[in-house]
Amino acid sequence: MQNILEVQDLVKHYRQVCAVDGISFSLAEGMCFGLLGPNGAGKTTTIEIMEGILKPDRGQILYRGRPIDSEFKKRAGIQFQNTSLPDHLTVSETIRLFQSFYPEPRPFNEIVEICSLSDILSRDNKKLSGGQRQRLLLAIAIVPQPDLVFLDEPTTGLDPQARRNFWDLIRRIQTEGATIVLTTHYMDEAHMLCDQIGIMDHGKMLEIDAPQAMLDRHFEGVLVRIPFDEPKRIDFPLPEGTVVRNDAIELTSTRLDETVRRLITLGLSLDGLSVHKPTLEDLFIKLTGNTLRA
Ligand SMILES: Nc1ncnc2c1ncn2[C@@H]1O[C@H](COP(=O)(O)OP(=O)(O)O)[C@@H](O)[C@H]1O
Ligand SMILES: [Mg+2]
Protein backbone atom coordinates (compact mmCIF):
# COMPACT_ATOMS: atom_id res chain seq x y z
CA MET A 1 0.00 0.00 0.00
CA GLN A 2 1.19 3.52 -0.80
CA ASN A 3 2.18 5.71 2.10
CA ILE A 4 -0.18 8.63 2.45
CA LEU A 5 2.39 10.75 4.26
CA GLU A 6 6.18 10.78 4.40
CA VAL A 7 7.89 12.78 7.11
CA GLN A 8 11.47 13.41 6.13
CA ASP A 9 14.19 14.64 8.46
CA LEU A 10 12.25 17.45 10.16
CA VAL A 11 14.14 20.01 12.21
CA LYS A 12 12.60 23.03 13.91
CA HIS A 13 14.24 25.48 16.32
CA TYR A 14 12.71 28.21 18.43
CA ARG A 15 15.73 30.40 19.24
CA GLN A 16 17.98 28.14 21.33
CA VAL A 17 15.33 25.42 21.76
CA CYS A 18 15.49 22.56 19.29
CA ALA A 19 11.80 21.59 19.34
CA VAL A 20 12.11 18.93 16.63
CA ASP A 21 15.47 17.35 16.07
CA GLY A 22 15.67 15.37 12.84
CA ILE A 23 12.69 13.03 12.73
CA SER A 24 11.50 10.83 9.87
CA PHE A 25 8.71 8.29 9.49
CA SER A 26 5.95 7.32 7.09
CA LEU A 27 2.23 6.66 7.46
CA ALA A 28 0.34 3.94 5.62
CA GLU A 29 -3.10 4.95 4.41
CA GLY A 30 -5.93 4.18 6.87
CA MET A 31 -3.82 3.80 9.98
CA CYS A 32 -4.10 5.59 13.27
CA PHE A 33 -0.69 6.99 14.18
CA GLY A 34 0.04 8.43 17.61
CA LEU A 35 2.80 10.79 18.65
CA LEU A 36 3.36 9.99 22.31
CA GLY A 37 5.53 11.97 24.68
CA PRO A 38 5.55 14.25 27.73
CA ASN A 39 4.87 17.98 27.65
CA GLY A 40 7.52 19.81 25.66
CA ALA A 41 8.58 16.71 23.73
CA GLY A 42 7.88 18.38 20.38
CA LYS A 43 4.55 16.72 19.50
CA THR A 44 2.64 19.90 18.65
CA THR A 45 5.53 21.29 16.63
CA THR A 46 5.77 18.02 14.67
CA ILE A 47 2.05 17.71 13.99
CA GLU A 48 1.81 21.38 12.95
CA ILE A 49 4.61 20.85 10.44
CA MET A 50 2.77 17.75 9.18
CA GLU A 51 -0.41 19.84 8.83
CA GLY A 52 1.45 22.38 6.70
CA ILE A 53 0.84 25.13 9.26
CA LEU A 54 4.39 25.49 10.47
CA LYS A 55 7.45 25.63 8.23
CA PRO A 56 10.33 23.40 9.31
CA ASP A 57 13.91 24.71 9.31
CA ARG A 58 14.87 21.55 7.48
CA GLY A 59 13.13 18.52 5.98
CA GLN A 60 9.82 18.08 4.22
CA ILE A 61 6.43 16.36 4.20
CA LEU A 62 5.26 14.38 1.19
CA TYR A 63 1.55 13.76 0.71
CA ARG A 64 0.96 10.85 -1.66
CA GLY A 65 4.52 11.24 -2.88
CA ARG A 66 4.44 15.01 -3.47
CA PRO A 67 5.33 18.03 -1.32
CA ILE A 68 2.25 19.30 0.49
CA ASP A 69 0.36 22.00 -1.41
CA SER A 70 -3.08 23.60 -1.50
CA GLU A 71 -4.65 20.31 -2.59
CA PHE A 72 -3.34 18.70 0.60
CA LYS A 73 -4.91 21.47 2.68
CA LYS A 74 -8.30 20.64 1.18
CA ARG A 75 -7.88 16.98 2.11
CA ALA A 76 -6.73 17.48 5.68
CA GLY A 77 -8.99 17.91 8.71
CA ILE A 78 -7.34 19.59 11.64
CA GLN A 79 -8.25 19.79 15.31
CA PHE A 80 -5.92 22.19 17.09
CA GLN A 81 -4.73 21.84 20.67
CA ASN A 82 -6.23 25.18 21.79
CA THR A 83 -8.90 26.24 19.33
CA SER A 84 -11.33 28.92 20.37
CA LEU A 85 -14.84 28.36 19.07
CA PRO A 86 -16.75 31.34 17.69
CA ASP A 87 -18.68 33.15 20.46
CA HIS A 88 -22.50 33.50 20.50
CA LEU A 89 -23.04 30.60 18.12
CA THR A 90 -24.81 27.36 18.81
CA VAL A 91 -23.34 23.97 17.93
CA SER A 92 -25.56 23.75 14.88
CA GLU A 93 -24.65 27.26 13.68
CA THR A 94 -20.98 26.50 14.16
CA ILE A 95 -21.14 23.39 11.99
CA ARG A 96 -23.02 25.31 9.29
CA LEU A 97 -20.49 28.13 9.44
CA PHE A 98 -17.61 25.73 8.83
CA GLN A 99 -19.56 23.96 6.08
CA SER A 100 -19.80 27.28 4.26
CA PHE A 101 -16.00 27.41 4.00
CA TYR A 102 -15.76 24.34 1.76
CA PRO A 103 -17.06 23.68 -1.76
CA GLU A 104 -18.13 20.11 -0.94
CA PRO A 105 -18.70 19.83 2.78
CA ARG A 106 -19.83 16.64 4.45
CA PRO A 107 -23.63 16.66 4.91
CA PHE A 108 -24.83 18.24 8.17
CA ASN A 109 -26.78 15.20 9.39
CA GLU A 110 -23.85 12.92 8.81
CA ILE A 111 -21.54 15.13 10.88
CA VAL A 112 -24.09 15.31 13.69
CA GLU A 113 -24.59 11.57 13.68
CA ILE A 114 -20.90 10.64 13.57
CA CYS A 115 -19.99 13.03 16.38
CA SER A 116 -23.12 12.35 18.49
CA LEU A 117 -24.16 16.00 18.59
CA SER A 118 -27.93 15.70 18.11
CA ASP A 119 -28.72 16.39 21.79
CA ILE A 120 -26.74 19.62 21.96
CA LEU A 121 -27.36 21.24 18.57
CA SER A 122 -29.04 24.33 20.03
CA ARG A 123 -26.55 24.76 22.86
CA ASP A 124 -24.28 27.80 22.95
CA ASN A 125 -20.62 26.96 22.29
CA LYS A 126 -19.69 28.57 25.58
CA LYS A 127 -21.88 26.18 27.56
CA LEU A 128 -20.33 22.94 26.35
CA SER A 129 -18.63 20.46 28.65
CA GLY A 130 -15.06 19.42 27.86
CA GLY A 131 -16.17 16.26 26.09
CA GLN A 132 -18.90 18.05 24.09
CA ARG A 133 -16.43 20.70 23.03
CA GLN A 134 -13.94 18.09 21.80
CA ARG A 135 -16.74 16.39 19.84
CA LEU A 136 -17.64 19.69 18.19
CA LEU A 137 -13.99 20.37 17.37
CA LEU A 138 -13.77 16.94 15.78
CA ALA A 139 -16.99 17.66 13.87
CA ILE A 140 -15.36 20.81 12.48
CA ALA A 141 -12.27 18.81 11.53
CA ILE A 142 -14.31 16.31 9.48
CA VAL A 143 -16.42 18.93 7.65
CA PRO A 144 -14.14 18.87 4.57
CA GLN A 145 -14.46 15.04 4.29
CA PRO A 146 -10.76 14.72 4.98
CA ASP A 147 -8.75 11.65 4.16
CA LEU A 148 -6.26 12.72 6.84
CA VAL A 149 -7.35 13.88 10.29
CA PHE A 150 -4.95 15.57 12.69
CA LEU A 151 -5.82 15.72 16.38
CA ASP A 152 -3.53 17.44 18.87
CA GLU A 153 -4.17 16.06 22.38
CA PRO A 154 -7.87 15.53 21.70
CA THR A 155 -8.65 14.01 25.09
CA THR A 156 -6.49 16.04 27.47
CA GLY A 157 -8.62 17.20 30.38
CA LEU A 158 -11.56 14.91 29.63
CA ASP A 159 -12.96 12.58 32.28
CA PRO A 160 -12.48 8.81 31.71
CA GLN A 161 -15.97 8.27 30.23
CA ALA A 162 -15.69 11.22 27.85
CA ARG A 163 -12.28 9.93 26.76
CA ARG A 164 -13.74 6.49 25.98
CA ASN A 165 -16.58 8.06 23.99
CA PHE A 166 -14.07 10.11 22.06
CA TRP A 167 -11.99 6.99 21.29
CA ASP A 168 -15.11 5.41 19.75
CA LEU A 169 -15.51 8.48 17.58
CA ILE A 170 -11.93 8.36 16.37
CA ARG A 171 -12.29 4.65 15.54
CA ARG A 172 -15.48 5.39 13.64
CA ILE A 173 -13.74 8.01 11.50
CA GLN A 174 -10.87 5.62 10.90
CA THR A 175 -13.30 2.86 9.88
CA GLU A 176 -14.69 5.21 7.26
CA GLY A 177 -11.26 5.29 5.67
CA ALA A 178 -9.53 8.33 7.13
CA THR A 179 -5.92 8.19 8.22
CA ILE A 180 -5.57 9.58 11.74
CA VAL A 181 -2.61 11.36 13.28
CA LEU A 182 -2.97 12.25 16.93
CA THR A 183 -0.78 13.38 19.78
CA THR A 184 -1.28 12.32 23.36
CA HIS A 185 0.56 11.99 26.61
CA TYR A 186 -1.75 9.18 27.74
CA MET A 187 -0.01 5.88 27.16
CA ASP A 188 -3.20 3.85 27.59
CA GLU A 189 -4.85 5.94 24.90
CA ALA A 190 -1.94 5.43 22.53
CA HIS A 191 -2.03 1.70 23.17
CA MET A 192 -5.81 1.42 22.70
CA LEU A 193 -6.19 3.56 19.61
CA CYS A 194 -3.04 3.53 17.59
CA ASP A 195 -1.84 1.00 15.03
CA GLN A 196 1.57 2.62 15.28
CA ILE A 197 3.09 5.01 17.75
CA GLY A 198 6.15 7.19 17.77
CA ILE A 199 7.57 7.92 21.21
CA MET A 200 9.09 11.41 21.35
CA ASP A 201 11.25 13.14 23.92
CA HIS A 202 13.31 16.34 23.62
CA GLY A 203 12.49 16.68 19.93
CA LYS A 204 13.77 13.23 19.04
CA MET A 205 11.90 10.12 17.99
CA LEU A 206 12.96 7.34 20.34
CA GLU A 207 10.97 4.45 18.87
CA ILE A 208 8.37 3.84 16.17
CA ASP A 209 6.34 0.65 16.02
CA ALA A 210 3.02 -0.98 16.83
CA PRO A 211 2.50 -0.59 20.60
CA GLN A 212 2.53 -4.30 21.47
CA ALA A 213 5.45 -5.07 19.16
CA MET A 214 7.40 -2.30 20.85
CA LEU A 215 6.67 -3.71 24.30
CA ASP A 216 7.51 -7.26 23.22
CA ARG A 217 10.86 -6.07 21.90
CA HIS A 218 11.78 -4.39 25.18
CA PHE A 219 10.30 -6.59 27.87
CA GLU A 220 10.24 -10.30 28.44
CA GLY A 221 7.70 -11.42 31.00
CA VAL A 222 6.14 -9.35 33.75
CA LEU A 223 7.44 -6.43 35.78
CA VAL A 224 8.00 -7.03 39.48
CA ARG A 225 8.27 -3.99 41.69
CA ILE A 226 9.10 -3.84 45.38
CA PRO A 227 8.87 -0.47 47.11
CA PHE A 228 11.74 0.55 49.41
CA ASP A 229 12.45 3.61 51.47
CA GLU A 230 16.10 3.70 50.55
CA PRO A 231 16.83 1.07 47.90
CA LYS A 232 20.24 2.57 47.15
CA ARG A 233 21.38 1.36 50.59
CA ILE A 234 20.79 -2.30 49.79
CA ASP A 235 24.27 -3.78 50.22
CA PHE A 236 23.85 -7.32 48.91
CA PRO A 237 23.82 -8.45 45.26
CA LEU A 238 20.41 -8.24 43.58
CA PRO A 239 19.38 -10.53 40.71
CA GLU A 240 20.88 -9.60 37.35
CA GLY A 241 18.89 -6.97 35.49
CA THR A 242 17.36 -5.45 38.63
CA VAL A 243 16.83 -1.71 38.29
CA VAL A 244 17.21 0.36 41.45
CA ARG A 245 14.93 3.41 41.47
CA ASN A 246 14.59 6.15 44.08
CA ASP A 247 11.76 4.43 45.88
CA ALA A 248 11.77 0.84 44.63
CA ILE A 249 13.58 -1.95 42.88
CA GLU A 250 12.22 -3.39 39.65
CA LEU A 251 12.96 -6.48 37.65
CA THR A 252 11.35 -8.40 34.81
CA SER A 253 10.54 -12.04 35.24
CA THR A 254 9.48 -14.84 32.93
CA ARG A 255 9.20 -17.26 35.88
CA LEU A 256 7.46 -15.40 38.65
CA ASP A 257 7.55 -18.26 41.19
CA GLU A 258 11.31 -18.59 40.80
CA THR A 259 11.89 -14.87 40.99
CA VAL A 260 9.85 -14.51 44.17
CA ARG A 261 11.63 -17.48 45.80
CA ARG A 262 14.96 -15.93 44.90
CA LEU A 263 13.99 -12.58 46.42
CA ILE A 264 12.88 -14.32 49.61
CA THR A 265 16.21 -16.19 49.80
CA LEU A 266 17.97 -12.83 49.63
CA GLY A 267 16.11 -11.87 52.78
CA LEU A 268 14.20 -9.04 51.12
CA SER A 269 10.88 -8.02 52.58
CA LEU A 270 8.28 -8.39 49.84
CA ASP A 271 5.81 -6.01 51.48
CA GLY A 272 4.05 -3.98 48.81
CA LEU A 273 5.34 -6.17 45.97
CA SER A 274 3.37 -5.65 42.77
CA VAL A 275 3.38 -7.46 39.46
CA HIS A 276 2.07 -6.10 36.18
CA LYS A 277 2.37 -6.51 32.43
CA PRO A 278 4.73 -3.85 31.07
CA THR A 279 3.00 -0.78 29.64
CA LEU A 280 4.13 2.02 27.37
CA GLU A 281 4.67 4.06 30.53
CA ASP A 282 7.20 1.46 31.71
CA LEU A 283 8.82 1.57 28.30
CA PHE A 284 9.10 5.34 28.40
CA ILE A 285 10.75 5.12 31.83
CA LYS A 286 13.11 2.48 30.50
CA LEU A 287 14.04 4.64 27.50
CA THR A 288 14.42 7.96 29.31
CA GLY A 289 14.52 7.39 33.06
CA ASN A 290 11.52 9.74 33.37
CA THR A 291 7.80 9.27 33.59
CA LEU A 292 5.50 10.54 30.85
CA ARG A 293 3.69 12.78 33.30
CA ALA A 294 6.86 14.48 34.51
N1 LIG B 1 6.16 29.31 19.62
C1 LIG B 1 7.17 28.86 20.39
N2 LIG B 1 8.17 29.69 20.77
C2 LIG B 1 9.20 29.23 21.51
N3 LIG B 1 9.33 27.95 21.94
C3 LIG B 1 8.38 27.08 21.59
C4 LIG B 1 7.25 27.49 20.81
N4 LIG B 1 6.45 26.39 20.62
C5 LIG B 1 7.06 25.37 21.26
N5 LIG B 1 8.20 25.78 21.85
C6 LIG B 1 9.13 24.92 22.61
O1 LIG B 1 9.45 23.81 21.81
C7 LIG B 1 9.47 22.61 22.58
C8 LIG B 1 8.45 21.62 22.02
O2 LIG B 1 7.12 22.15 22.21
P1 LIG B 1 5.82 21.43 21.68
O3 LIG B 1 6.03 21.03 20.27
O4 LIG B 1 4.69 22.32 21.98
O5 LIG B 1 5.79 20.12 22.60
P2 LIG B 1 4.56 19.19 23.06
O6 LIG B 1 3.42 19.44 22.14
O7 LIG B 1 5.11 17.81 22.97
O8 LIG B 1 4.25 19.57 24.46
C9 LIG B 1 9.20 23.03 24.01
O9 LIG B 1 10.44 23.21 24.65
C10 LIG B 1 8.48 24.35 23.86
O10 LIG B 1 8.68 25.17 24.98
MG1 LIG C 1 1.43 19.98 22.48
Side-chain angles (χ1 to χ4, degrees):
M1 197 192 286
Q2 193 195 14
N3 286 326
I4 189 166
L5 220 58
E6 299 272 353
V7 175
Q8 298 180 337
D9 196 27
L10 297 185
V11 174
K12 179 74 185 178
H13 291 88
Y14 295 106
R15 293 202 192 87
Q16 296 95 329
V17 180
C18 188
V20 175
D21 193 3
I23 66 177
S24 302
F25 55 94
S26 49
L27 300 187
E29 185 148 26
M31 71 154 48
C32 179
F33 181 82
L35 280 170
L36 180 63
N39 278 335
K43 304 180 298 295
T44 295
T45 307
T46 303
I47 201 169
E48 288 188 352
I49 295 171
M50 294 170 76
E51 293 161 349
I53 284 169
L54 203 60
K55 261 182 95 66
D57 299 337
R58 198 176 79 199
Q60 65 172 352
I61 309 292
L62 301 182
Y63 170 66
R64 300 192 187 279
R66 295 170 42 192
I68 52 176
D69 54 14
S70 53
E71 179 55 28
F72 165 81
K73 294 200 173 142
K74 276 186 238 152
R75 305 299 299 151
I78 299 174
Q79 183 186 321
F80 295 100
Q81 187 165 5
N82 299 303
T83 314
S84 50
L85 288 161
D87 275 348
H88 311 301
L89 288 190
T90 63
V91 168
S92 145
E93 287 162 347
T94 307
I95 298 169
R96 295 209 191 274
L97 174 69
F98 279 86
Q99 279 184 306
S100 72
F101 298 158
Y102 296 91
E104 290 172 58
R106 190 188 290 261
F108 182 85
N109 290 340
E110 204 177 303
I111 298 170
V112 170
E113 196 263 314
I114 293 173
C115 297
S116 311
L117 294 170
S118 54
D119 291 345
I120 54 166
L121 282 177
S122 55
R123 195 161 302 173
D124 195 294
N125 286 340
K126 278 205 295 269
K127 299 199 174 130
L128 301 178
S129 72
Q132 289 166 343
R133 191 183 140 79
Q134 288 308 98
R135 264 154 45 208
L136 177 55
L137 289 173
L138 185 60
I140 293 170
I142 63 168
V143 165
Q145 320 219 43
D147 59 8
L148 252 168
V149 178
F150 295 97
L151 308 158
D152 195 0
E153 301 221 9
T155 65
T156 295
L158 299 191
D159 65 58
Q161 188 55 49
R163 284 177 68 210
R164 285 208 171 74
N165 295 344
F166 201 81
W167 296 349
D168 289 340
L169 261 178
I170 293 172
R171 283 203 198 90
R172 165 89 191 263
I173 291 166
Q174 190 189 6
T175 311
E176 294 190 345
T179 306
I180 315 265
V181 182
L182 60 87
T183 73
T184 182
H185 59 253
Y186 297 119
M187 40 131 198
D188 58 334
E189 176 163 289
H191 201 152
M192 288 288 298
L193 274 182
C194 301
D195 304 302
Q196 283 226 331
I197 54 171
I199 298 190
M200 285 190 76
D201 197 26
H202 300 298
K204 288 202 183 341
M205 192 64 90
L206 305 178
E207 296 265 332
I208 297 185
D209 208 338
Q212 196 54 51
M214 207 182 260
L215 290 174
D216 291 345
R217 216 161 2 91
H218 281 276
F219 296 102
E220 226 185 319
V222 291
L223 265 180
V224 180
R225 181 185 162 90
I226 308 167
F228 270 99
D229 288 337
E230 290 178 84
K232 295 224 159 80
R233 284 178 52 186
I234 293 171
D235 55 0
F236 48 81
L238 290 162
E240 203 188 322
T242 303
V243 179
V244 179
R245 307 225 175 267
N246 287 333
D247 55 353
I249 61 168
E250 283 178 5
L251 60 162
T252 51
S253 166
T254 49
R255 291 288 308 274
L256 190 56
D257 46 349
E258 261 175 33
T259 303
V260 171
R261 230 175 281 136
R262 177 104 184 270
L263 291 169
I264 291 171
T265 317
L266 287 173
L268 281 176
S269 156
L270 303 189
D271 283 350
L273 175 141
S274 65
V275 177
H276 69 271
K277 274 170 71 178
T279 64
L280 292 174
E281 180 82 39
D282 297 311
L283 178 55
F284 190 80
I285 293 170
K286 180 175 172 186
L287 294 174
T288 69
N290 295 311
T291 67
L292 275 168
R293 283 179 292 270

